Amino acid sequence: MEAERLAAEAERESAEAEHAAARQERAEKTAAEAEAEARAEAARLWSEEDRLIRLQVEAGAAREEAARQTAEAERREALARQAEADERTALAREAVARAELAAQEADDAARRSPRERGECQVARMILAAHHALPEHERPIEPDMYAVTLEDIGSVLNVARTAASERRQAAADLIKNGYVG
């Protein structure tokens, strides 16, 4: 009986060892599966992080491109405004030149003296400076000081004192109704 009991105990121990080996094998399989899942999850997270970084880089590039396009559009708009202003300036200069020519012809017809012609020319300069101001900044009466003595001296080829006299005479002409 002792032999049977020892055989049964040996058999039981052998079965327990097999169960333990099977549990160990299942545990190792589970650990390997868990490790594989962890690696797969880490790889997915790295991939997601890479995707987010790419999206951030693309968003930054899109912002830079939008800023570049905005700057280019603003530059083109400024160039267009400058071209329009240049055209208006050229047209205004042309109109002034025509008006000055007509005024000189009127001076010739009126047989004005060189001094009177200079006074009329300065009056036209004062009126032109007055009309060049934006309407909301324009005073009611033209300001004779809007035209400098240096400009008058340069245009009429006269000294500062003569330029001052011509400017004052021009202001008087304007006060008396001269309109160019």
Side-chain angles (χ1 to χ4, degrees), residues 100-119:
E100 186 59 33
L101 183 60
Q104 288 173 2
E105 290 171 358
D107 287 344
D108 289 344
R111 297 180 186 247
R112 291 192 174 115
S113 70
R115 179 184 178 98
E116 290 172 325
R117 288 173 188 245
E119 291 168 358

Side-chain angles (χ1 to χ4, degrees), residues 10-143:
E11 204 173 292
R12 187 178 47 81
E13 284 178 7
S14 173
E16 283 177 11
E18 282 179 20
H19 282 313
R23 278 195 309 270
Q24 175 71 26
E25 188 178 314
R26 280 194 307 272
E28 286 174 2
K29 255 188 192 177
T30 303
E33 288 171 357
E35 186 177 327
E37 286 176 11
R39 278 195 213 107
E41 181 64 14
R44 188 189 68 75
L45 291 174
W46 281 106
S47 174
E48 184 65 20
E49 185 176 337
D50 285 347
R51 188 181 72 79
L52 290 174
I53 289 170
R54 279 193 310 277
L55 288 174
Q56 288 173 339
V57 168
E58 289 171 6
R63 282 191 300 275
E64 287 175 7
E65 179 61 17
R68 187 194 65 72
Q69 287 178 356
T70 299
E72 179 63 21
E74 289 171 355
R75 185 187 69 77
R76 275 191 244 114
E77 186 177 318
L79 287 174
R81 283 193 309 268
Q82 182 63 47
E84 289 172 10
D86 290 348
E87 184 177 343
R88 284 192 307 271
T89 300
L91 290 173
R93 284 185 180 144
E94 185 179 316
V96 166
R98 282 194 310 268
E100 186 59 33
L101 183 60
Q104 288 173 2
E105 290 171 358
D107 287 344
D108 289 344
R111 297 180 186 247
R112 291 192 174 115
S113 70
R115 179 184 178 98
E116 290 172 325
R117 288 173 188 245
E119 291 168 358
C120 289
Q121 189 171 5
V122 173
R124 290 189 299 273
M125 291 168 67
I126 293 170
L127 291 170
H130 178 72
H131 291 294
L133 292 172
E135 195 169 330
H136 66 279
E137 294 179 14
R138 191 179 304 155
I140 295 171
E141 297 294 322
D143 180 13

